[in-house]
Amino acid sequence: MKRPTVTDLANAAGLSVSTVNRLLHGTGALRPDTVERILNAAQSIGFYGLGILRERKQTNLPQRKLGFLLQQSHRAINRLWADAIVTAAARRVDTLIKPVIEFEDDLSPEAVAGHLLALGEVCDALAVVTADHPLISQAIDELRARDTPVIAYITDLSAASRAAFVGTDNWKAGRTAAWFISQMAHRPGKVFPFVGSHRYQCQDISDASFRSYMRERAPAFVVHETQLTNEEPQIAFEIVRRLIAEEPDLVGIFVAGGGISGVLRAMRAFDAPRRQDIKIVCRDIGPEAQKGLAEGLITAAVPHSLKRMPEELIEVMLDRIEGRGQTSIQQRIVPFDIVTPESAWT
């Protein structure tokens, strides 16, 4: 049987021989749908160069370098976010993505702004997790002037020049946390929300909606002043240890920000009856939170989705690269997960 020729392949695909040769020899970029037509035709007629065509499909793809500025490299949850971003980037079949993931351990706005500007020198688009601050907004303005889109990730920013926000519905997350505590607590009592910083919009909104639910649906509970952890487990540990010692009516803790490992360490220092009397809901799903769920110390977690969030983020980043110059701010809201001790994965 005669081996199919390039002409046969072109006829089967309904394209010119020159177009097929461009893909075979890698001499020019083709539209992704055109590449798929050639590959499908090659497979249907048994074209001898199918393996080469599949390789050319990869090299024909557009290439993008995407920058991701995350926080605190020592926190396991942030390492999980980095791994999830790399995995999501590798799953893209329409674009070759080189993810550039960097961490900023210094959470001061000066450090974050400087790091963001430096990363913008080498990337097509950026995503950043950071507290809201005018210095951050200025850096985003400067990057916008360079035609480098910046996407606020997990927590939104007030910067008018940001290209997009990818996160969850933090209002619903806070009310969900309040529902768990009010339903699971053995009795009404005192409840304390924790945030890492008042400048993280996701935490501040969750805190406000938590209080909203308690006022509306659980008025017998007393929600106290929000405790500030500065995203440091040791500070969270000291606060919880003091509260348990000084507040016999403590029945609930909502950890809207960082510090869950410190909260759990403090809880483990007390006897089982006291631990069981305090219901904890957090927004973390790192190794420490998973361990706390398995131990029954955490009643529920309402975290951002480690799988869907990075996928949506990369989709938005690529879209904003193609739509450079757009003035509208894109918003992508991803449903948060709900994890209980009985549904936690290991």
Side-chain angles (χ1 to χ4, degrees):
M1 182 176 177
K2 182 181 176 183
R3 188 169 69 172
T5 65
V6 173
T7 300
D8 295 328
L9 176 57
N11 291 335
L15 298 167
S16 67
V17 172
S18 62
T19 298
V20 174
N21 275 327
R22 281 167 60 194
L23 183 61
L24 270 171
H25 303 297
T27 54
L30 298 176
R31 291 167 52 93
D33 57 341
T34 301
V35 175
E36 288 301 323
R37 284 177 61 184
I38 296 173
L39 281 171
N40 291 336
Q43 187 158 359
S44 68
I45 68 173
F47 185 69
Y48 66 91
L50 184 58
I52 295 173
L53 289 171
R54 285 172 175 158
E55 291 179 8
R56 292 285 186 258
K57 176 185 176 180
Q58 289 300 109
T59 58
N60 181 74
L61 293 175
Q63 300 183 28
R64 298 297 186 190
K65 183 182 287 189
L66 304 183
F68 304 86
L69 184 56
L70 308 181
Q71 295 187 333
Q72 295 179 314
S73 57
H74 60 276
R75 288 184 61 190
I77 184 63
N78 292 334
R79 289 291 181 184
L80 286 176
W81 279 118
D83 292 342
I85 288 169
V86 171
T87 299
R91 279 199 295 261
R92 294 291 302 203
V93 297
D94 58 345
T95 309
L96 288 176
I97 297 173
K98 180 181 180 182
V100 181
I101 300 177
E102 297 186 3
F103 295 89
E104 180 53 71
D105 293 325
D106 182 351
L107 301 186
S108 69
E110 295 84 358
V112 175
H115 201 154
L116 197 60
L117 290 171
L119 195 57
E121 295 284 351
V122 296
C123 296
D124 298 309
L126 301 177
V128 61
V129 182
T130 183
D132 201 358
H133 193 277
L135 288 177
I136 307 296
S137 297
Q138 289 175 19
I140 293 174
D141 289 344
E142 186 172 333
L143 288 162
R144 171 72 175 272
R146 298 183 200 168
D147 215 15
T148 302
V150 178
I151 289 79
Y153 190 43
I154 295 178
T155 182
D156 202 2
L157 301 169
S158 60
S161 294
R162 70 196 188 285
F165 165 60
V166 178
T168 66
D169 188 328
N170 296 298
W171 184 262
K172 286 186 178 180
R175 288 181 67 87
T176 300
W179 182 90
F180 270 110
I181 289 178
S182 64
Q183 295 297 312
M184 300 300 292
H186 299 309
R187 56 187 171 81
K190 296 181 179 179
V191 180
F192 287 81
F194 284 39
V195 299
S197 167
H198 295 294
R199 285 188 175 272
Y200 289 109
Q201 286 195 25
C202 64
Q203 298 179 21
D204 212 33
I205 292 171
S206 294
D207 179 32
S209 64
F210 181 88
R211 294 173 178 280
S212 164
Y213 181 94
M214 287 298 196
R215 286 193 304 268
E216 178 186 352
R217 300 293 182 86
F221 289 81
V222 178
V223 183
H224 276 254
E225 187 68 24
T226 302
Q227 305 296 300
L228 184 64
T229 69
N230 293 323
E231 299 287 315
E232 292 295 337
Q234 181 60 31
I235 295 177
F237 168 78
E238 293 169 358
I239 293 173
V240 173
R241 186 173 59 176
R242 174 180 56 80
L243 290 178
I244 295 178
E246 298 177 358
E247 301 286 353
D249 292 332
L250 173 64
V251 298
I253 296 173
F254 172 40
V255 187
I260 188 61
S261 61
V263 172
L264 294 173
R265 183 157 60 93
M267 289 285 289
R268 293 185 184 108
F270 290 84
D271 58 27
R274 189 71 180 105
R275 293 199 303 264
Q276 293 168 3
D277 200 37
I278 301 171
K279 304 305 175 183
I280 297 174
V281 178
C282 68
R283 301 215 61 196
D284 196 321
I285 199 57
E288 280 295 320
Q290 292 185 45
K291 183 180 179 183
L293 283 161
E295 293 174 299
L297 294 176
I298 296 176
T299 298
V302 285
H304 299 79
S305 171
L306 275 169
K307 182 177 185 294
R308 284 197 56 187
M309 284 276 290
E311 292 175 347
E312 296 286 348
L313 174 62
I314 289 173
E315 177 75 27
V316 168
M317 293 176 80
L318 295 175
D319 183 62
R320 300 311 290 194
I321 290 171
E322 296 303 320
R324 281 191 172 102
Q326 292 182 8
T327 56
S328 61
I329 298 172
Q330 190 171 347
Q331 188 177 58
R332 191 73 61 90
I333 303 300
V334 181
F336 52 84
D337 292 336
I338 298 178
V339 188
T340 69
E342 295 302 318
S343 66
W345 58 89
T346 57

